[in-house]
Amino acid sequence: MNTTDTLLLSTLMGIAAGVASWTSRGWVGRMIDFIESDVQKKLRAMRIVAPRLRMYLSSWLYLMVIALAGLWFGYGNPVFAIMAVTLMGPLPWYLLRRMAERRRLQIEDQLAGSMTTLAGAIRAGLSLAQALEILAEQSPQPIRLEFQHMVGQYSMGKTLQETLLEAKQRLQSENFSMFAAAMLASRESGGKLNETVERIAESVREFQRLERKIESETAQARKSATYMAIAPPVILLVYYFVDPINTGRLFSTLPGQIMLSIAVLLNVSAWLWARSILSPDI
């Protein structure tokens, strides 16, 4: 292919990309709206404000398109292009899920201490609202943000029941659900809230002890899963030095590209599956 043919082909590809972008702008906009709504909901649950979220999501979407076009048309590898987009697409959701899970575990670890502080404040003669204000001032992050949000909602006129139910739905924590149920039940029946909260705090500590025990016992298995995920690229690199011609066919031929792409996707899926199975959940 001479220079004129190459220039003509590039021009036609640019025109086709522009026409496709113009005709699909409504569909792309609706897709970005859906993704933005879903991600914004998850960020709001983590008390994270992202005013430029739509710009970031649009940039990520365009980056995926550039990667697809670059690998497909620039290097002539449609298989690798599809594999790259398949891996890049769920990456923001995966990172967001890891952030939410890390924050949830931090709140779970801090909840037992907050319950003990609450029980002590009630035993000292403070009301439940005053005890929550103390938690909103003295608790560590990130649970302090949740208590501050609860106190703010309660101060703005919402009932304590509505505030606790909204926090329960937002946090999706079984331990906090028990905590909220105990406060509501004690408030309605007039029982001793400090004793109830102390018993729940002991139960939460026991759950945490069991989770840490399971986590320590499965730590080696999680490391093994990571090592198994790293092993195939290392083996492929070693084989390249041993037999570069046949190894290069995995990258230069269509059957090799298909097999290599399937192997990469299966390797990533196996690693994620192993991490999910080995995560302690009591």
Side-chain angles (χ1 to χ4, degrees):
M1 183 178 293
N2 54 35
T3 306
T4 305
D5 293 336
T6 303
L7 181 60
L8 179 60
L9 180 60
S10 301
T11 303
L12 291 175
M13 288 173 53
I15 295 174
V19 172
S21 177
W22 184 83
T23 56
S24 63
R25 64 189 188 279
W27 177 79
V28 173
R30 288 192 296 271
M31 183 175 64
I32 294 178
D33 289 339
F34 171 76
I35 297 174
E36 182 183 14
S37 176
D38 183 63
V39 174
Q40 194 71 260
K41 186 185 302 181
K42 291 180 173 60
L43 290 176
R44 195 180 301 113
M46 292 188 292
R47 322 302 303 166
I48 297 177
V49 179
R52 298 183 178 179
L53 178 61
R54 187 177 184 85
M55 183 188 70
Y56 297 147
L57 293 176
S58 301
S59 301
W60 183 254
L61 182 61
Y62 290 134
L63 183 62
M64 290 174 57
V65 173
I66 292 173
L68 178 66
L71 290 174
W72 195 315
F73 300 108
Y75 292 94
N77 286 326
V79 178
F80 288 168
I82 296 174
M83 180 193 68
V85 172
T86 302
L87 293 176
M88 290 176 63
L91 186 60
W93 278 274
Y94 174 74
L95 296 177
L96 195 61
R97 181 180 178 184
R98 290 295 300 269
M99 291 172 56
E101 182 65 17
R102 189 179 297 113
R103 186 175 186 274
R104 186 189 67 82
L105 292 177
Q106 289 179 340
I107 290 177
E108 294 281 0
D109 289 338
Q110 298 166 358
L111 192 56
S114 299
M115 289 182 184
T116 303
T117 303
L118 180 70
I122 294 175
R123 191 185 301 110
L126 298 178
S127 64
L128 183 56
Q130 292 173 330
L132 288 176
E133 290 179 359
I134 292 177
L135 292 180
E137 296 174 357
Q138 300 180 359
S139 298
Q141 296 289 4
I143 199 172
R144 182 196 300 179
L145 286 176
E146 299 300 330
F147 285 123
Q148 288 176 348
H149 186 69
M150 292 168 58
V151 171
Q153 285 185 321
Y154 185 72
S155 301
M156 292 177 63
K158 285 191 175 182
T159 64
L160 182 62
Q161 182 177 2
E162 292 175 343
T163 302
L164 291 174
L165 290 178
E166 288 182 4
K168 174 183 173 181
Q169 184 178 6
R170 183 173 63 251
L171 294 176
Q172 298 293 320
S173 168
E174 295 182 1
N175 293 334
F176 187 84
S177 297
M178 291 192 299
F179 173 60
M183 287 196 293
L184 292 175
S186 179
R187 186 178 179 86
E188 292 176 359
S189 61
K192 294 183 178 180
L193 178 59
N194 59 322
E195 296 179 359
T196 304
V197 172
E198 286 177 349
R199 286 196 296 268
I200 294 178
E202 290 297 326
S203 301
V204 171
R205 290 193 185 93
E206 182 64 20
F207 277 126
Q208 291 175 350
R209 186 187 67 82
L210 293 175
E211 286 182 351
R212 291 191 178 97
K213 182 179 179 180
I214 295 175
E215 186 175 358
S216 63
E217 291 178 352
T218 57
Q220 186 60 41
R222 288 195 301 274
K223 289 182 180 179
S224 299
T226 303
Y227 296 152
M228 290 176 64
I230 297 175
V234 175
I235 295 174
L236 181 63
L237 181 62
V238 172
Y239 267 105
Y240 178 77
F241 290 103
V242 174
D243 190 0
I245 297 177
N246 290 324
T247 306
R249 291 176 181 172
L250 291 173
F251 300 89
S252 60
T253 63
L254 182 60
Q257 293 173 1
I258 293 175
M259 288 189 293
L260 188 60
S261 299
I262 293 175
V264 170
L265 294 176
L266 289 177
N267 191 39
V268 173
S269 301
W271 179 74
L272 294 175
W273 192 12
R275 296 282 298 185
S276 177
I277 292 175
L278 296 172
S279 297
D281 187 11
I282 301 179

